[in-house]
Short mmCIF file of all heavy atoms in Angstrom, two decimals:
data_model
loop_
_atom_site.label_atom_id
_atom_site.label_comp_id
_atom_site.label_asym_id
_atom_site.label_seq_id
_atom_site.Cartn_x
_atom_site.Cartn_y
_atom_site.Cartn_z
N MET A 20 -2.00 9.40 -2.34
CA MET A 20 -2.84 9.39 -1.16
C MET A 20 -2.34 10.41 -0.14
O MET A 20 -3.09 11.22 0.43
CB MET A 20 -2.87 8.00 -0.70
CG MET A 20 -3.82 7.75 0.51
SD MET A 20 -4.18 6.01 0.66
CE MET A 20 -3.87 5.84 2.35
N PHE A 21 -1.04 10.22 0.26
CA PHE A 21 -0.50 11.13 1.29
C PHE A 21 0.50 12.13 0.63
O PHE A 21 1.39 12.65 1.32
CB PHE A 21 0.28 10.31 2.29
CG PHE A 21 -0.62 9.38 3.12
CD1 PHE A 21 -0.48 7.98 2.93
CD2 PHE A 21 -1.48 9.87 4.05
CE1 PHE A 21 -1.29 7.15 3.66
CE2 PHE A 21 -2.26 9.08 4.72
CZ PHE A 21 -2.15 7.72 4.65
N ASN A 22 0.22 12.45 -0.62
CA ASN A 22 1.15 13.45 -1.29
C ASN A 22 1.09 14.86 -0.67
O ASN A 22 1.97 15.56 -0.81
CB ASN A 22 0.81 13.48 -2.82
CG ASN A 22 1.10 12.12 -3.50
OD1 ASN A 22 1.89 11.46 -2.93
ND2 ASN A 22 0.50 11.93 -4.59
N ASN A 23 -0.02 15.23 -0.11
CA ASN A 23 -0.23 16.58 0.33
C ASN A 23 0.26 16.77 1.84
O ASN A 23 0.19 17.86 2.33
CB ASN A 23 -1.69 17.02 0.25
CG ASN A 23 -2.12 17.04 -1.17
OD1 ASN A 23 -1.26 17.29 -2.11
ND2 ASN A 23 -3.35 16.82 -1.46
N ILE A 24 0.71 15.66 2.47
CA ILE A 24 1.17 15.81 3.84
C ILE A 24 2.66 16.12 3.81
O ILE A 24 3.47 15.37 3.20
CB ILE A 24 0.94 14.47 4.64
CG1 ILE A 24 -0.48 14.23 4.80
CG2 ILE A 24 1.57 14.51 6.01
CD1 ILE A 24 -0.80 12.87 5.39
N GLY A 25 3.05 17.26 4.43
CA GLY A 25 4.35 17.65 4.43
C GLY A 25 5.08 17.10 5.71
O GLY A 25 4.50 16.36 6.42
N VAL A 26 6.31 17.52 5.89
CA VAL A 26 7.07 17.09 7.05
C VAL A 26 6.47 17.56 8.32
O VAL A 26 6.26 16.77 9.31
CB VAL A 26 8.57 17.60 6.90
CG1 VAL A 26 9.26 17.21 8.18
CG2 VAL A 26 9.17 17.02 5.73
N SER A 27 5.99 18.78 8.38
CA SER A 27 5.33 19.26 9.59
C SER A 27 4.05 18.59 9.90
O SER A 27 3.75 18.30 11.00
CB SER A 27 5.13 20.77 9.46
OG SER A 27 4.24 21.08 8.32
N GLY A 28 3.31 18.23 8.84
CA GLY A 28 1.99 17.42 9.08
C GLY A 28 2.32 16.09 9.63
O GLY A 28 1.61 15.58 10.52
N LEU A 29 3.37 15.40 9.06
CA LEU A 29 3.75 14.14 9.57
C LEU A 29 4.17 14.10 10.96
O LEU A 29 3.81 13.23 11.76
CB LEU A 29 4.85 13.56 8.56
CG LEU A 29 5.20 12.07 8.82
CD1 LEU A 29 3.99 11.16 8.54
CD2 LEU A 29 6.38 11.70 7.89
N ILE A 30 5.00 15.09 11.32
CA ILE A 30 5.43 15.26 12.74
C ILE A 30 4.28 15.42 13.66
O ILE A 30 4.16 14.91 14.69
CB ILE A 30 6.49 16.41 12.80
CG1 ILE A 30 7.81 15.96 12.21
CG2 ILE A 30 6.71 16.71 14.29
CD1 ILE A 30 8.75 17.13 12.02
N LEU A 31 3.29 16.24 13.19
CA LEU A 31 2.07 16.57 14.05
C LEU A 31 1.29 15.24 14.23
O LEU A 31 0.89 14.95 15.32
CB LEU A 31 1.26 17.59 13.38
CG LEU A 31 -0.07 17.97 14.05
CD1 LEU A 31 0.29 18.65 15.43
CD2 LEU A 31 -0.85 18.96 13.22
N ILE A 32 1.15 14.45 13.17
CA ILE A 32 0.40 13.18 13.28
C ILE A 32 1.12 12.27 14.18
O ILE A 32 0.42 11.60 15.06
CB ILE A 32 0.22 12.58 11.90
CG1 ILE A 32 -0.76 13.41 11.03
CG2 ILE A 32 -0.30 11.15 11.98
CD1 ILE A 32 -0.83 13.01 9.58
N LEU A 33 2.41 12.11 14.08
CA LEU A 33 3.24 11.25 15.00
C LEU A 33 3.18 11.71 16.36
O LEU A 33 3.05 10.90 17.35
CB LEU A 33 4.64 11.17 14.46
CG LEU A 33 4.88 10.35 13.18
CD1 LEU A 33 6.31 10.47 12.72
CD2 LEU A 33 4.42 8.92 13.33
N ALA A 34 3.19 12.97 16.69
CA ALA A 34 3.10 13.59 18.01
C ALA A 34 1.81 13.22 18.68
O ALA A 34 1.71 12.78 19.74
CB ALA A 34 3.34 14.98 18.04
N ILE A 35 0.69 13.40 17.86
CA ILE A 35 -0.72 13.06 18.39
C ILE A 35 -0.79 11.58 18.64
O ILE A 35 -1.34 11.20 19.71
CB ILE A 35 -1.76 13.51 17.38
CG1 ILE A 35 -1.75 15.12 17.37
CG2 ILE A 35 -3.07 12.98 17.76
CD1 ILE A 35 -2.65 15.64 16.29
N ALA A 36 -0.30 10.75 17.77
CA ALA A 36 -0.30 9.28 17.98
C ALA A 36 0.50 8.92 19.16
O ALA A 36 0.03 8.03 19.99
CB ALA A 36 0.25 8.57 16.72
N LEU A 37 1.60 9.59 19.47
CA LEU A 37 2.47 9.32 20.65
C LEU A 37 1.70 9.61 21.91
O LEU A 37 1.72 8.96 22.89
CB LEU A 37 3.75 10.06 20.58
CG LEU A 37 4.73 9.85 21.69
CD1 LEU A 37 5.23 8.45 21.74
CD2 LEU A 37 5.93 10.81 21.53
N ILE A 38 0.99 10.77 21.92
CA ILE A 38 0.28 11.21 23.07
C ILE A 38 -0.96 10.32 23.26
O ILE A 38 -1.28 9.83 24.36
CB ILE A 38 -0.24 12.71 22.87
CG1 ILE A 38 0.90 13.63 22.88
CG2 ILE A 38 -1.33 13.01 23.89
CD1 ILE A 38 0.63 15.04 22.48
N VAL A 39 -1.74 9.89 22.22
CA VAL A 39 -2.94 9.11 22.31
C VAL A 39 -2.60 7.67 22.77
O VAL A 39 -3.19 7.10 23.62
CB VAL A 39 -3.73 9.13 21.10
CG1 VAL A 39 -4.88 8.19 21.10
CG2 VAL A 39 -4.28 10.59 20.89
N PHE A 40 -1.65 6.98 22.06
CA PHE A 40 -1.38 5.61 22.21
C PHE A 40 -0.20 5.27 23.10
O PHE A 40 -0.13 4.14 23.64
CB PHE A 40 -1.17 4.93 20.85
CG PHE A 40 -2.36 5.04 19.99
CD1 PHE A 40 -2.36 5.85 18.85
CD2 PHE A 40 -3.49 4.29 20.20
CE1 PHE A 40 -3.48 5.91 17.96
CE2 PHE A 40 -4.61 4.38 19.40
CZ PHE A 40 -4.57 5.19 18.28
N GLY A 41 0.65 6.22 23.30
CA GLY A 41 1.85 5.91 24.19
C GLY A 41 2.96 5.31 23.35
O GLY A 41 2.79 4.71 22.38
N PRO A 42 4.23 5.38 23.91
CA PRO A 42 5.34 4.90 23.20
C PRO A 42 5.40 3.40 23.04
O PRO A 42 5.99 2.83 22.11
CB PRO A 42 6.49 5.42 23.94
CG PRO A 42 6.04 5.80 25.33
CD PRO A 42 4.54 6.10 25.13
N SER A 43 4.74 2.63 23.94
CA SER A 43 4.82 1.20 23.88
C SER A 43 3.94 0.62 22.82
O SER A 43 4.18 -0.40 22.25
CB SER A 43 4.48 0.61 25.22
OG SER A 43 3.14 0.91 25.57
N LYS A 44 2.92 1.33 22.43
CA LYS A 44 1.90 0.80 21.33
C LYS A 44 2.27 1.28 19.94
O LYS A 44 1.81 0.65 19.04
CB LYS A 44 0.51 1.31 21.69
CG LYS A 44 -0.08 0.77 22.97
CD LYS A 44 -0.62 -0.58 22.57
CE LYS A 44 -1.37 -1.17 23.78
NZ LYS A 44 -1.76 -2.50 23.61
N LEU A 45 3.16 2.28 19.80
CA LEU A 45 3.45 2.77 18.43
C LEU A 45 4.05 1.71 17.52
O LEU A 45 3.68 1.60 16.39
CB LEU A 45 4.38 4.04 18.57
CG LEU A 45 3.67 5.32 18.86
CD1 LEU A 45 4.64 6.51 18.92
CD2 LEU A 45 2.48 5.61 17.91
N PRO A 46 5.07 0.88 17.98
CA PRO A 46 5.60 -0.12 16.98
C PRO A 46 4.49 -1.12 16.62
O PRO A 46 4.48 -1.54 15.43
CB PRO A 46 6.67 -0.80 17.92
CG PRO A 46 7.10 0.13 18.88
CD PRO A 46 5.84 0.91 19.26
N GLN A 47 3.57 -1.51 17.58
CA GLN A 47 2.57 -2.42 17.19
C GLN A 47 1.57 -1.80 16.20
O GLN A 47 1.11 -2.35 15.20
CB GLN A 47 1.74 -2.79 18.43
CG GLN A 47 2.50 -3.60 19.40
CD GLN A 47 1.77 -3.82 20.74
OE1 GLN A 47 0.74 -3.29 20.90
NE2 GLN A 47 2.37 -4.66 21.57
N LEU A 48 1.26 -0.47 16.35
CA LEU A 48 0.37 0.22 15.43
C LEU A 48 0.99 0.35 14.00
O LEU A 48 0.39 0.18 13.02
CB LEU A 48 0.06 1.62 15.98
CG LEU A 48 -0.88 1.64 17.16
CD1 LEU A 48 -0.95 3.06 17.72
CD2 LEU A 48 -2.24 1.17 16.76
N GLY A 49 2.31 0.66 14.01
CA GLY A 49 3.06 0.76 12.75
C GLY A 49 3.01 -0.61 12.05
O GLY A 49 2.84 -0.63 10.83
N ARG A 50 3.29 -1.68 12.75
CA ARG A 50 3.26 -2.98 12.12
C ARG A 50 1.85 -3.29 11.54
O ARG A 50 1.72 -3.92 10.50
CB ARG A 50 3.68 -4.03 13.19
CG ARG A 50 4.81 -5.00 12.67
CD ARG A 50 5.29 -5.89 13.78
NE ARG A 50 6.25 -5.22 14.60
CZ ARG A 50 6.16 -4.95 15.82
NH1 ARG A 50 5.13 -5.44 16.54
NH2 ARG A 50 7.08 -4.39 16.52
N ALA A 51 0.82 -3.07 12.34
CA ALA A 51 -0.50 -3.31 11.96
C ALA A 51 -0.90 -2.50 10.69
O ALA A 51 -1.47 -3.02 9.79
CB ALA A 51 -1.44 -3.09 13.09
N PHE A 52 -0.41 -1.28 10.68
CA PHE A 52 -0.72 -0.38 9.50
C PHE A 52 -0.02 -0.94 8.26
O PHE A 52 -0.55 -0.98 7.22
CB PHE A 52 -0.30 1.03 9.84
CG PHE A 52 -0.58 2.01 8.74
CD1 PHE A 52 -1.85 2.38 8.45
CD2 PHE A 52 0.43 2.54 8.00
CE1 PHE A 52 -2.15 3.25 7.39
CE2 PHE A 52 0.24 3.43 6.90
CZ PHE A 52 -1.10 3.84 6.69
N GLY A 53 1.26 -1.34 8.45
CA GLY A 53 2.04 -1.93 7.34
C GLY A 53 1.38 -3.26 6.83
O GLY A 53 1.31 -3.43 5.55
N ASP A 54 0.97 -4.05 7.72
CA ASP A 54 0.25 -5.28 7.34
C ASP A 54 -1.00 -5.01 6.60
O ASP A 54 -1.32 -5.72 5.59
CB ASP A 54 0.00 -6.20 8.58
CG ASP A 54 1.27 -6.72 9.18
OD1 ASP A 54 2.26 -6.74 8.48
OD2 ASP A 54 1.15 -7.26 10.32
N THR A 55 -1.75 -4.03 7.06
CA THR A 55 -3.00 -3.66 6.45
C THR A 55 -2.73 -3.17 4.96
O THR A 55 -3.52 -3.59 3.99
CB THR A 55 -3.77 -2.60 7.21
OG1 THR A 55 -3.97 -3.04 8.48
CG2 THR A 55 -5.11 -2.18 6.55
N LEU A 56 -1.78 -2.34 4.82
CA LEU A 56 -1.45 -1.78 3.47
C LEU A 56 -0.98 -2.93 2.57
O LEU A 56 -1.33 -2.92 1.40
CB LEU A 56 -0.34 -0.76 3.59
CG LEU A 56 -0.77 0.68 3.94
CD1 LEU A 56 0.44 1.54 4.11
CD2 LEU A 56 -1.77 1.23 3.06
N ARG A 57 -0.15 -3.84 3.09
CA ARG A 57 0.36 -4.93 2.30
C ARG A 57 -0.86 -5.76 1.81
O ARG A 57 -0.89 -6.18 0.69
CB ARG A 57 1.37 -5.82 3.00
CG ARG A 57 1.99 -6.88 2.26
CD ARG A 57 3.05 -7.69 3.08
NE ARG A 57 4.02 -6.81 3.83
CZ ARG A 57 3.95 -6.68 5.19
NH1 ARG A 57 3.11 -7.36 5.85
NH2 ARG A 57 4.84 -5.90 5.77
N GLU A 58 -1.73 -6.11 2.73
CA GLU A 58 -2.88 -6.96 2.38
C GLU A 58 -3.80 -6.19 1.36
O GLU A 58 -4.27 -6.86 0.40
CB GLU A 58 -3.75 -7.30 3.66
CG GLU A 58 -4.91 -8.14 3.36
CD GLU A 58 -4.51 -9.54 2.92
OE1 GLU A 58 -3.41 -10.04 3.33
OE2 GLU A 58 -5.25 -10.11 2.09
N PHE A 59 -4.00 -4.90 1.53
CA PHE A 59 -4.77 -4.19 0.48
C PHE A 59 -4.13 -4.19 -0.84
O PHE A 59 -4.78 -4.43 -1.80
CB PHE A 59 -4.93 -2.67 1.02
CG PHE A 59 -5.66 -1.87 0.01
CD1 PHE A 59 -7.08 -1.98 0.00
CD2 PHE A 59 -4.97 -0.96 -0.72
CE1 PHE A 59 -7.74 -1.18 -0.88
CE2 PHE A 59 -5.71 -0.07 -1.61
CZ PHE A 59 -7.08 -0.20 -1.75
N ARG A 60 -2.78 -3.99 -0.92
CA ARG A 60 -2.11 -4.08 -2.21
C ARG A 60 -2.16 -5.49 -2.88
O ARG A 60 -2.40 -5.54 -4.06
CB ARG A 60 -0.64 -3.72 -2.01
CG ARG A 60 -0.22 -2.38 -2.54
CD ARG A 60 1.20 -2.14 -2.53
NE ARG A 60 1.58 -1.54 -1.24
CZ ARG A 60 2.61 -1.86 -0.48
NH1 ARG A 60 3.39 -2.78 -0.82
NH2 ARG A 60 2.72 -1.21 0.70
N ASN A 61 -2.04 -6.48 -2.02
CA ASN A 61 -2.10 -7.84 -2.58
C ASN A 61 -3.49 -8.15 -3.13
O ASN A 61 -3.75 -8.79 -4.11
CB ASN A 61 -1.74 -8.81 -1.52
CG ASN A 61 -0.24 -8.84 -1.22
OD1 ASN A 61 0.51 -8.44 -2.03
ND2 ASN A 61 0.04 -9.45 -0.09
N SER A 62 -4.53 -7.64 -2.38
CA SER A 62 -5.98 -7.84 -2.83
C SER A 62 -6.20 -7.08 -4.08
O SER A 62 -6.83 -7.71 -5.03
CB SER A 62 -6.89 -7.37 -1.74
OG SER A 62 -6.73 -8.14 -0.57
N THR A 63 -5.79 -5.85 -4.18
CA THR A 63 -6.04 -5.14 -5.42
C THR A 63 -5.33 -5.81 -6.61
O THR A 63 -5.75 -5.82 -7.65
CB THR A 63 -5.67 -3.71 -5.27
OG1 THR A 63 -4.31 -3.46 -4.89
CG2 THR A 63 -6.61 -2.98 -4.34
N ARG A 64 -4.06 -6.26 -6.36
CA ARG A 64 -3.26 -6.90 -7.41
C ARG A 64 -3.96 -8.17 -7.89
O ARG A 64 -4.05 -8.45 -9.09
CB ARG A 64 -1.85 -7.23 -6.84
CG ARG A 64 -0.96 -7.75 -7.92
CD ARG A 64 0.45 -7.98 -7.40
NE ARG A 64 1.02 -6.75 -6.93
CZ ARG A 64 1.61 -6.51 -5.74
NH1 ARG A 64 1.71 -7.57 -4.96
NH2 ARG A 64 2.07 -5.40 -5.47
N ASN A 65 -4.56 -8.97 -6.92
CA ASN A 65 -5.30 -10.13 -7.29
C ASN A 65 -6.50 -9.84 -8.14
O ASN A 65 -6.91 -10.52 -9.04
CB ASN A 65 -5.64 -11.00 -6.06
CG ASN A 65 -4.50 -11.64 -5.42
OD1 ASN A 65 -3.41 -11.84 -6.09
ND2 ASN A 65 -4.59 -11.91 -4.15
N ILE A 66 -7.25 -8.75 -7.73
CA ILE A 66 -8.45 -8.37 -8.47
C ILE A 66 -8.04 -7.96 -9.88
O ILE A 66 -8.76 -8.32 -10.86
CB ILE A 66 -9.19 -7.18 -7.74
CG1 ILE A 66 -9.75 -7.69 -6.47
CG2 ILE A 66 -10.26 -6.64 -8.61
CD1 ILE A 66 -10.30 -6.69 -5.58
N ILE A 67 -6.99 -7.18 -10.02
CA ILE A 67 -6.53 -6.81 -11.40
C ILE A 67 -6.15 -7.96 -12.20
O ILE A 67 -6.50 -8.10 -13.38
CB ILE A 67 -5.40 -5.76 -11.25
CG1 ILE A 67 -5.90 -4.52 -10.67
CG2 ILE A 67 -4.72 -5.52 -12.61
CD1 ILE A 67 -4.86 -3.46 -10.33
N GLU A 68 -5.48 -8.91 -11.55
CA GLU A 68 -5.03 -10.19 -12.36
C GLU A 68 -6.29 -10.96 -12.78
O GLU A 68 -6.26 -11.59 -13.76
CB GLU A 68 -4.08 -10.97 -11.49
CG GLU A 68 -2.70 -10.37 -11.40
CD GLU A 68 -1.81 -11.12 -10.47
OE1 GLU A 68 -2.27 -12.13 -9.86
OE2 GLU A 68 -0.65 -10.74 -10.32
N ASP A 69 -7.30 -11.01 -11.90
CA ASP A 69 -8.53 -11.71 -12.27
C ASP A 69 -9.23 -11.11 -13.44
O ASP A 69 -9.82 -11.82 -14.28
CB ASP A 69 -9.50 -11.80 -11.06
CG ASP A 69 -9.02 -12.74 -9.98
OD1 ASP A 69 -8.14 -13.57 -10.28
OD2 ASP A 69 -9.54 -12.65 -8.89
N ILE A 70 -9.21 -9.80 -13.47
CA ILE A 70 -9.82 -9.05 -14.62
C ILE A 70 -9.05 -9.20 -15.81
O ILE A 70 -9.59 -9.48 -16.97
CB ILE A 70 -10.05 -7.54 -14.26
CG1 ILE A 70 -10.97 -7.39 -13.11
CG2 ILE A 70 -10.47 -6.80 -15.47
CD1 ILE A 70 -11.12 -6.01 -12.54
N ASP A 71 -7.73 -9.01 -15.79
CA ASP A 71 -6.81 -9.11 -16.96
C ASP A 71 -5.74 -10.14 -16.66
O ASP A 71 -4.56 -9.80 -16.25
CB ASP A 71 -6.18 -7.71 -17.25
CG ASP A 71 -5.45 -7.77 -18.56
OD1 ASP A 71 -5.62 -8.63 -19.36
OD2 ASP A 71 -4.63 -6.84 -18.68
N PRO A 72 -6.02 -11.46 -16.87
CA PRO A 72 -5.04 -12.52 -16.50
C PRO A 72 -3.82 -12.45 -17.38
O PRO A 72 -2.73 -13.04 -17.09
CB PRO A 72 -5.80 -13.80 -16.68
CG PRO A 72 -6.88 -13.51 -17.61
CD PRO A 72 -7.24 -12.06 -17.38
N GLU A 73 -3.79 -11.89 -18.56
CA GLU A 73 -2.67 -11.92 -19.47
C GLU A 73 -1.77 -10.73 -19.14
O GLU A 73 -2.22 -9.55 -19.13
CB GLU A 73 -3.18 -11.71 -20.87
CG GLU A 73 -2.08 -11.90 -21.93
CD GLU A 73 -2.65 -11.81 -23.33
OE1 GLU A 73 -3.74 -12.38 -23.59
OE2 GLU A 73 -1.98 -11.18 -24.16
N PRO A 74 -0.48 -11.01 -18.83
CA PRO A 74 0.36 -9.92 -18.49
C PRO A 74 0.58 -9.01 -19.62
O PRO A 74 0.50 -9.31 -20.74
CB PRO A 74 1.79 -10.60 -18.15
CG PRO A 74 1.33 -12.08 -17.89
CD PRO A 74 0.11 -12.24 -18.69
N ARG A 75 0.93 -7.74 -19.34
CA ARG A 75 1.09 -6.73 -20.35
C ARG A 75 2.26 -6.95 -21.28
O ARG A 75 2.25 -6.74 -22.40
CB ARG A 75 1.33 -5.36 -19.66
CG ARG A 75 0.14 -4.95 -18.87
CD ARG A 75 -0.86 -4.37 -19.72
NE ARG A 75 -2.05 -3.83 -18.96
CZ ARG A 75 -3.26 -3.91 -19.26
NH1 ARG A 75 -3.55 -4.32 -20.51
NH2 ARG A 75 -4.21 -3.47 -18.59
N ILE A 76 3.37 -7.55 -20.82
CA ILE A 76 4.54 -7.85 -21.57
C ILE A 76 4.23 -8.76 -22.68
O ILE A 76 4.61 -8.58 -23.85
CB ILE A 76 5.67 -8.34 -20.62
CG1 ILE A 76 6.01 -7.27 -19.64
CG2 ILE A 76 6.90 -8.75 -21.48
CD1 ILE A 76 7.01 -7.74 -18.58
N GLU A 77 3.52 -9.83 -22.36
CA GLU A 77 3.13 -10.85 -23.41
C GLU A 77 2.31 -10.28 -24.47
O GLU A 77 2.46 -10.55 -25.66
CB GLU A 77 2.50 -12.04 -22.72
CG GLU A 77 3.47 -12.92 -21.93
CD GLU A 77 2.79 -14.09 -21.24
OE1 GLU A 77 1.61 -14.31 -21.54
OE2 GLU A 77 3.36 -14.65 -20.42
N SER A 78 1.36 -9.50 -24.08
CA SER A 78 0.41 -8.85 -25.03
C SER A 78 1.19 -7.90 -26.02
O SER A 78 0.96 -7.75 -27.16
CB SER A 78 -0.68 -8.18 -24.35
OG SER A 78 -0.28 -7.05 -23.58
N GLU A 79 2.16 -7.14 -25.39
CA GLU A 79 2.91 -6.28 -26.26
C GLU A 79 3.84 -7.01 -27.19
O GLU A 79 4.02 -6.67 -28.35
CB GLU A 79 3.81 -5.41 -25.40
CG GLU A 79 3.01 -4.33 -24.67
CD GLU A 79 3.89 -3.52 -23.64
OE1 GLU A 79 5.09 -3.74 -23.66
OE2 GLU A 79 3.28 -2.68 -22.92
N THR A 80 4.30 -8.21 -26.81
CA THR A 80 5.19 -9.00 -27.60
C THR A 80 4.34 -9.58 -28.77
O THR A 80 4.79 -9.68 -29.92
CB THR A 80 5.82 -10.17 -26.85
OG1 THR A 80 6.48 -9.64 -25.74
CG2 THR A 80 6.80 -10.96 -27.65
N LYS A 81 3.11 -10.05 -28.53
CA LYS A 81 2.27 -10.62 -29.49
C LYS A 81 1.88 -9.54 -30.54
O LYS A 81 1.81 -9.80 -31.80
CB LYS A 81 0.93 -11.13 -28.89
CG LYS A 81 1.13 -12.35 -28.16
CD LYS A 81 -0.10 -12.86 -27.61
CE LYS A 81 0.04 -14.13 -26.77
NZ LYS A 81 -1.21 -14.54 -26.13
N LYS A 82 1.75 -8.24 -30.11
CA LYS A 82 1.43 -7.20 -31.07
C LYS A 82 2.61 -6.92 -32.10
O LYS A 82 2.41 -6.67 -33.13
CB LYS A 82 1.15 -5.88 -30.34
CG LYS A 82 -0.16 -5.89 -29.66
CD LYS A 82 -0.36 -4.59 -28.88
CE LYS A 82 -1.70 -4.62 -28.12
NZ LYS A 82 -1.85 -3.37 -27.27
N GLN A 83 3.80 -7.18 -31.61
CA GLN A 83 4.92 -6.94 -32.44
C GLN A 83 5.12 -7.99 -33.47
O GLN A 83 5.67 -7.82 -34.47
CB GLN A 83 6.31 -6.84 -31.58
CG GLN A 83 6.32 -5.54 -30.76
CD GLN A 83 7.52 -5.57 -29.80
OE1 GLN A 83 8.20 -6.51 -29.74
NE2 GLN A 83 7.73 -4.46 -29.11
N LEU A 84 4.64 -9.23 -33.10
CA LEU A 84 4.71 -10.38 -34.09
C LEU A 84 3.71 -10.14 -35.14
O LEU A 84 3.56 -10.07 -36.19
CB LEU A 84 4.51 -11.62 -33.38
CG LEU A 84 5.58 -12.03 -32.37
CD1 LEU A 84 5.12 -13.30 -31.65
CD2 LEU A 84 6.91 -12.15 -32.98
#
């Protein structure tokens, strides 16, 4: 997703965020962004488990038997 952002791009984004939101809001924004990513990951993991409830390791073991 962010593979194409280099160090200079990241610094530019952080500088703009610092100017727009101020130094007191940046930790709150970082926490909110991290919580959002965590919730998104958990939701996608739950969707994948609903579609394929059998773990991959067990199915590979059954194939070998």
Side-chain angles (χ1 to χ4, degrees):
M20 183 162 130
F21 295 110
N22 293 338
N23 296 333
I24 296 178
V26 175
S27 60
L29 188 60
I30 291 172
L31 180 64
I32 290 170
L33 289 174
I35 291 171
L37 183 63
I38 292 168
V39 172
F40 297 110
S43 63
K44 292 280 186 181
L45 282 182
Q47 294 172 354
L48 289 172
R50 231 175 276 119
F52 183 70
D54 290 342
T55 303
L56 281 177
R57 187 178 312 109
E58 183 64 33
F59 178 75
R60 252 188 270 135
N61 289 338
S62 296
T63 55
R64 187 175 298 132
N65 289 338
I66 291 171
I67 291 171
E68 287 175 357
D69 287 343
I70 293 171
D71 187 16
E73 186 175 321
R75 298 279 181 214
I76 296 171
E77 290 179 8
S78 63
E79 290 175 3
T80 306
K81 288 179 182 177
K82 287 179 184 177
Q83 291 176 355
L84 296 175

